[in-house]
Amino acid sequence: MNNLLKYFISAGICCLLISCKKTGTIMNNITVVEYGTNKPIPHSQVDLYKGENCSWFSCTYVKVGEVAVDENGKAAIPENISKIGIRANGYFEVRFFYFKEQVLALDLIGQVKIHCIRTNIYPPGSSFGVIIQGENSTVGYLSREYVYKNDYADFYFPVNDDSTIVTKAFGNQLNVITWFVNDSAGNRIMNGDPLQIAVPRTGIAELEIKY
């Protein structure tokens, strides 16, 4: 009887341990680095998102928590997270679909001053636009008011004889700036050639566009 009792006790303990292991949260490490230098970005913040009401065509992502990145740029992320957002001072906020053991690169925020000189006659109500794209494909949407969206920056303003704008760009990397003009209905009536400019880590790069 004692041996049988010992057997059931041992079996129960084993089942309990296996059950705990299955229901425990599995954690995976990510490393947050600066694009171009691969230097760790310490003490950044990682927002955690889970997908809800997902279908083949859409998914609603709800923030369920956040974790801090350590001094080596590493953070432990639960495996059941769908998407993460990373915030760090001086870098563009980015959201990534989450996969195991990722190294994620953030773009440094730089600045560019664009001197816009009108050399053509455009219809009334036309608008001049600029698209700024960096080397890294996982970057944010830029405008004068920064809002996360896609992998490029664009903004519009009315056609003037001369304008000078200062906007965010992608620091410490080569930027490609493309300009265009739309009419009052939003139809494209002029496309400029892409222009390359190296945006420094600090300071402001300057560029002249004749449109």
Side-chain angles (χ1 to χ4, degrees):
M1 179 66 68
N2 289 338
N3 290 336
L4 185 62
L5 181 61
K6 288 180 181 179
Y7 170 78
F8 281 115
I9 291 173
S10 299
I13 292 172
C14 289
C15 290
L16 180 61
L17 290 174
I18 292 171
S19 175
C20 290
K21 185 176 181 181
K22 285 184 177 179
T23 58
T25 302
I26 299 174
M27 308 294 283
N28 294 308
N29 288 324
I30 64 166
T31 304
V32 181
V33 301
E34 179 181 289
Y35 174 77
T37 65
N38 290 327
K39 292 180 179 178
I41 303 175
H43 310 302
S44 47
Q45 200 71 29
V46 181
D47 297 322
L48 309 177
Y49 296 87
K50 280 188 178 181
E52 294 186 353
N53 303 317
C54 296
S55 67
W56 287 104
F57 306 103
S58 65
C59 200
T60 301
Y61 293 98
V62 178
K63 183 177 176 180
V64 294
E66 58 185 50
V67 297
V69 173
D70 67 18
E71 63 275 7
N72 297 312
K74 295 184 180 297
I77 308 297
E79 190 177 52
N80 60 355
I81 292 300
S82 306
K83 183 181 281 191
I84 58 177
I86 303 178
R87 296 176 281 119
N89 291 333
Y91 296 86
F92 289 113
E93 180 179 345
V94 185
R95 292 184 186 178
F96 298 90
F97 284 104
Y98 170 58
F99 303 100
K100 296 179 182 179
E101 306 297 334
Q102 285 179 290
V103 177
L104 305 174
L106 301 189
D107 289 282
L108 190 68
I109 296 176
Q111 285 188 304
V112 61
K113 179 184 288 186
I114 305 175
H115 304 282
C116 308
I117 302 172
R118 184 169 66 85
T119 58
N120 294 292
I121 297 174
Y122 297 101
S126 297
S127 59
F128 173 85
V130 174
I131 296 173
I132 304 174
Q133 189 164 8
E135 299 169 357
N136 188 9
S137 61
T138 51
V139 294
Y141 172 94
L142 298 175
S143 69
R144 291 175 183 175
E145 299 297 328
Y146 174 72
V147 179
Y148 172 83
K149 190 177 179 182
N150 276 313
D151 63 347
Y152 56 82
D154 64 2
F155 53 84
Y156 308 85
F157 56 89
V159 166
N160 297 310
D161 290 337
D162 266 317
S163 297
T164 299
I165 56 174
V166 177
T167 185
K168 293 176 182 177
F170 306 102
N172 200 33
Q173 58 183 281
L174 192 66
N175 287 230
V176 176
I177 298 179
T178 307
W179 64 269
F180 57 87
V181 177
N182 289 345
D183 64 16
S184 58
N187 300 311
R188 189 66 50 87
I189 57 176
M190 180 72 77
N191 282 303
D193 293 327
L195 303 171
Q196 293 187 342
I197 183 170
V199 176
R201 187 179 189 85
T202 58
I204 302 177
E206 295 196 35
L207 179 70
E208 182 180 272
I209 295 178
K210 294 182 179 180
Y211 68 98

